[in-house]
């Protein structure tokens, strides 16, 4: 093929590649949807009960272990292991504490290695039950990990403390995973101080098993970050989930891929080849992407959800949180689910071939002598040829695709770190999956996956500051979620049905845990009610299920309200005439739209000001007195949030009633609304006064100002206020109004000067540019006349001493003319000279003859 043709084809391929990338990016932006939590509960909100355990002497309570009876919670903290009593709902008390701190010598050695003193403590990173009486614990221990056995009853160290290399990371900020199967510990971590030797190992092996690990020289792992591990119900295989560098992709930059790896619990290693090494290790890529979208390639956390009752083990689901290494997806998260049978199918298929000389992968088909991921897990007695094949063929050729090849959830606004999942059955017998997602900002999102797509029922703030390492443990029987952070351990109930006070609120929440009971007229848990419970998780159709509109109480989340209290028909508000009235409207949910209504009247924008928080401002006049109703519309259902009756009250001080013209009254209302708008933005009172003067200025008989005029003046002042409050103030800005500038005329003058400041600058610049153009044109016009002179002439801008040796005639010198106006044409140009200038009469200029 000619060189030119090959180069053309290469350019076409490059253009097609970039075209596809742009198409994918555009499609990705179209597919992203903003999931807004319906209800938010800030930390300390009385509308959502949270139990928090914290102690000033205990930090980094991030490793959690719940007992089988779910009455005790073991917490791995910094230099300690805690035992919390969680047997009673809403209670979390410390029963005992085990101190496990490094010695002063260990701390000094850690500091000598260049580590920060705050990182040289013993951070407990492995906490697993070995049996009913002992827990196996490992800690970083001043960058020299150690492990030990802990007696459950006495919470004391039982046995000798031994080295924990390969079982626990050295660095407290490095992630790891561990699981115990039949008293044997399976771990994924690093086995050296620098973190360059990642391993998947088995320890505490019982005969005929032996401790196994990966061969460091085979390149089975490429800088991995372990996130989770799980055991299948059949207890034959252990799955490890992690992200690593994908060496099978030949890119300029390192490409991160998500993996799932498996080992068999019956593996005992090879007889000659792969002695004390895994013979059943295999890994495959996890793809979290939708068609025509960029994939989310970095896995953050995975949770296994057991299959439904009556179904096979292959229906087990794995829900994982994924992020992206590319800046285009920065700050976004996605949730994908994978079926166990799809993972098994990929491990049972073909494998890529690794060339040990070039360290490159190929997908060429060859004779398959063994399958590392086969179901039998019987390679311990295989031949050396078979084991050599396994050493070079451990990466599955195909990737594990998500269920339906779609994303379960995409959040462009939140970055999730940890996940827990639960399956709940509604009153109709339908099963729904509920995800509990923890964000970096410290909120726990409760997400329901339905046929119409995911929706966030609520978000609960569990801790204030973002934490690098966290843990989430779900207790299905107790109905709570335990969240571990550096600030303490939080206990969050999975449902909050009593918060919803009406049938409409209960149905609109679309919470599979909650339903409206018509008999008790309360929103209750579905397992506690009768057969006439109303709920609609798919559509939230409160219009059909709740035919009688109910008045939602005014206070939404500021106080705890008993279910038996009914809301009054309305609240009386007593005001004086010409007083600015503010009516507040509670927020039903973030998905609802609020608006105000008046019986047999329309809210004119000339008389009323509606704020973003739902509050309504207006001036009390005989026309604005009466009833006001705040209405919320969500999912087609309209409900009343607040009812007010604004009534005039008698003032204790006699006031003179001045009759106002209709136009004057409207102007006064607009002036008051302008004052309210500026004051709510934090404008100084002097500026507010100036703006009100401008808005209400006019003749002796005030004229009716239009909305555009009031909006123009208000916007001008707000814009000037925001510019003067900025940090990068320019030296050309106008001075801020102060108390010294209290004179009305000066205030109005300053305000008006601000209005035309930009125009003045523009005119000045244009004038300077015009003068420059005229000056350049004049110089260009004078240039030919200078060259045509026969005698010794002096051009403008030149030195007159060029021909200084020649004798000069005074009459031959050019005259100095008086400057004429710019609209007149001069007959002669100015001539410059180093000699004393003289006038046309031969004498010095400006002197008498």
């Amino acid at each position: 093929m000619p060189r030119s043709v090959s180069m053309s084809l290469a350019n076409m391929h490059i253009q097609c590649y970039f075209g596809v990338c742009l198409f994918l990016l555009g499609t990705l932006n179209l597919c992203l949807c903003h999931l807004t939590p319906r209800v938010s509960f800030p930390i300390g909100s009385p509308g959502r009960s949270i139990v928090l355990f914290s102690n000033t002497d205990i930090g980094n309570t991030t490793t959690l272990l719940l007992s089988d009876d779910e009455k005790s919670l073991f917490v791995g903290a910094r230099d300690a292991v805690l035992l919390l009593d969680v047997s009673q709902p809403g209670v979390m008390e410390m029963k005992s504490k085990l101190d496990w701190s490094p010695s002063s010598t260990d701390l000094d050695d850690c500091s000598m290695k260049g580590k920060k003193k705050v990182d040289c403590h013993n951070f407990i990173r492995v906490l697993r039950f070995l049996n009913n009486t002992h827990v196996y614990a490992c800690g970083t221990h001043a960058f020299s990990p150690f492990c030990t056995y802990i007696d459950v009853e006495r919470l004391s160290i039982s046995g000798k403390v031994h080295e924990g290399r390969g079982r626990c990371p050295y660095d407290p900020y490095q992630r790891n995973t561990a699981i115990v199967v039949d008293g044997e510990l399976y771990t994924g971590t690093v086995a050296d101080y620098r973190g360059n030797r990642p391993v998947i190992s088995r320890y505490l092996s019982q005969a005929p098993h032996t401790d196994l690990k990966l061969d460091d020289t085979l390149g089975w792992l490429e800088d991995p970050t372990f996130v989770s591990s799980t055991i299948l119900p059949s207890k034959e295989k252990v799955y490890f989930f992690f992200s690593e560098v994908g060496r099978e992709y030949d890119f300029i930059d390192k490409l991160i891929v998500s993996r799932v790896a498996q080992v068999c619990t019956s593996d005992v290693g090879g007889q000659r080849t792969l002695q004390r090494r895994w013979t059943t290790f295999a890994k495959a890529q996890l793809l979290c992407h939708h068609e025509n979208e960029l994939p989310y390639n970095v896995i953050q956390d995975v949770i296994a959800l057991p299959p439904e009752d009556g179904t096979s083990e292959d229906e087990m689901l794995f829900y994982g949180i994924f992020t992206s290494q590319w800046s285009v997806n920065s700050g976004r998260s996605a949730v994908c689910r994978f079926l166990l049978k799809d993972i098994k199918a990929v491990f049972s298929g073909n494998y890529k071939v690794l060339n040990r000389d070039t360290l490159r992968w190929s997908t060429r088909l060859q004779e398959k002598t063994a399958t590392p991921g086969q179901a039998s897990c019987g390679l311990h007695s295989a031949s050396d040829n078979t084991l050599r094949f396994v050493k070079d063929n451990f990466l599955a050729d195909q990737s594990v695709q998500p269920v339906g090849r779609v994303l379960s959830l995409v959040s462009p606004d939140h970055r999730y770190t940890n996940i827990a999942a639960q399956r709940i059955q509604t009153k109709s017998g339908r099963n729904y999956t509920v995800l509990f997602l923890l964000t970096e900002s410290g909120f726990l999102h409760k997400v329901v996956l339905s046929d119409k797509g995911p929706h966030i029922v609520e978000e609960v703030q569990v801790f204030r500051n973002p934490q690098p390492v966290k843990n989430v443990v779900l207790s299905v029987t107790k109905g709570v979620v335990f969240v571990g952070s550096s600030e303490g351990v939080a206990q969050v109930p999975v449902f909050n049905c009593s918060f919803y006070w009406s049938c409409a609120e209960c149905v609109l929440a679309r919470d599979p845990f909650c339903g409206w009971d018509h008999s008790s007229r309360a929103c209750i848990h579905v397992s506690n009610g009768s057969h006439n419970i109303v709920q609609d998780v798919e559509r939230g159709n409160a219009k059909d299920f709740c035919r009688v509109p109910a008045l939602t109480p005014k206070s939404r989340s500021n106080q705890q309200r008993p279910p038996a209290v009914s809301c009054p028909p309305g609240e009386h508000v007593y005001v004086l005439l010409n007083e600015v009235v503010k009516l507040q409207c509670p927020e039903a949910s973030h998905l609802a739209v609020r608006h105000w209504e008046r019986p047999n009247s329309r809210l004119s924008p000339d008389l009323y000001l509606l704020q973003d928080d739902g509050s309504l401002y207006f001036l009390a006049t005989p026309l604005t007195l009466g009833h006001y109703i705040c209405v919320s519309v969500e999912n087609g259902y309209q409900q009343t949030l607040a009812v007010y009756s604004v009534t005039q009250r008698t003032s204790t001080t006699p006031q003179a009633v001045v009759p106002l013209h209709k136009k004057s009254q409207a102007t006064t209302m607009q002036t008051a609304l302008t004052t309210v708008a500026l004051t709510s933005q934090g404008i100084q009172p002097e500026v507010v006064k100036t703006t009100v003067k401008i808005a209400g200025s006019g003749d002796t008989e005030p004229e009716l100002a239009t909305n555009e005029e009031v909006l123009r003046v208000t916007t001008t002042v707000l814009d000037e206020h925001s510019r003067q409050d900025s940090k990068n103030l320019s030296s050309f800005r106008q001075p801020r109004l102060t108390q010294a500038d209290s004179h009305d005329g000066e205030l109005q003058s300053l305000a008006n000067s601000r209005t035309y400041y930009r125009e003045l600058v523009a005119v000045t610049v244009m004038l300077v540019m015009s003068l420059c153009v005229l000056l350049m044109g004049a110089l260009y016009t004078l240039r030919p006349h200078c060259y045509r002179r026969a005698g010794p002439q002096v051009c403008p801008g030149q030195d007159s001493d060029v021909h200084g040796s020649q004798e000069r005639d005074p009459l031959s010198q050019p005259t100095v003319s008086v400057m004429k106006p710019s609209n007149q044409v001069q007959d002669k140009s100015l001539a410059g000279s180093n000699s004393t200038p003289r006038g046309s009469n031969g004498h010095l200029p400006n002197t008498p003859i």
Side-chain angles (χ1 to χ4, degrees), residues 8-29:
S8 300
L9 291 177
N11 293 332
M12 291 177 61
H13 289 164
I14 295 175
Q15 293 177 1
C16 292
Y17 173 77
F18 283 104
V20 171
C21 291
L22 294 176
F23 173 76
L24 293 177
L25 292 176
T27 310
L28 175 63
N29 294 331

Side-chain angles (χ1 to χ4, degrees), residues 137-177:
C138 299
T140 58
H141 204 273
F143 281 80
S144 180
F146 280 92
C147 299
T148 187
Y149 301 91
I150 298 178
D151 186 271
V152 174
E153 295 295 334
R154 297 177 297 176
L155 197 67
S156 60
I157 295 179
S158 176
K160 185 179 179 180
V161 177
H162 51 275
E163 185 183 13
R165 183 176 59 179
R167 314 179 191 194
C168 178
Y170 288 74
D171 194 333
Y173 300 103
Q174 197 162 18
R175 302 190 65 176
N176 69 301
T177 181

Side-chain angles (χ1 to χ4, degrees), residues 550-663:
L551 180 65
T552 303
K554 179 181 178 181
S555 178
R556 180 67 189 172
S557 61
N558 296 330
Q559 60 182 357
Q560 190 70 20
R561 302 163 296 180
V565 177
S566 60
C567 184
E571 180 179 349
H572 292 279
V573 179
Y574 297 96
V575 297
L576 295 175
L577 292 181
N578 299 329
E579 178 185 352
V580 177
V581 183
K582 176 183 178 181
L583 302 181
Q584 292 183 344
C585 181
E587 185 179 31
S589 73
H590 297 322
L591 305 180
V593 179
R594 292 171 291 180
H595 65 274
W596 288 86
E597 296 179 355
R598 290 197 63 186
N600 302 325
S601 179
R602 185 179 64 88
L603 299 182
S604 173
D606 297 333
L607 306 180
Y608 297 92
L609 179 64
L610 182 62
Q611 297 285 32
D612 294 337
D613 60 352
S615 58
L616 183 68
Y617 289 89
F618 60 91
L619 193 66
T621 63
L623 295 178
T624 58
L625 298 178
H627 293 276
Y628 290 85
I629 303 174
C630 181
V631 180
S632 169
V633 179
E634 180 181 358
N635 201 15
Y637 182 82
Q638 178 174 313
Q639 58 179 336
T640 303
L641 300 180
V643 177
Y644 294 95
S645 178
V646 181
T647 309
Q648 180 184 359
R649 65 182 175 91
T650 305
S651 176
T652 57
T653 303
Q655 294 181 349
V657 180
V658 181
L660 295 176
H661 191 268
K662 183 177 181 181
K663 294 184 179 181

Side-chain angles (χ1 to χ4, degrees), residues 71 170 227 311 417 442 455 539:
K71 294 182 179 181
Y170 288 74
V227 298
T311 58
T417 58
H455 67 276
R539 299 177 301 168

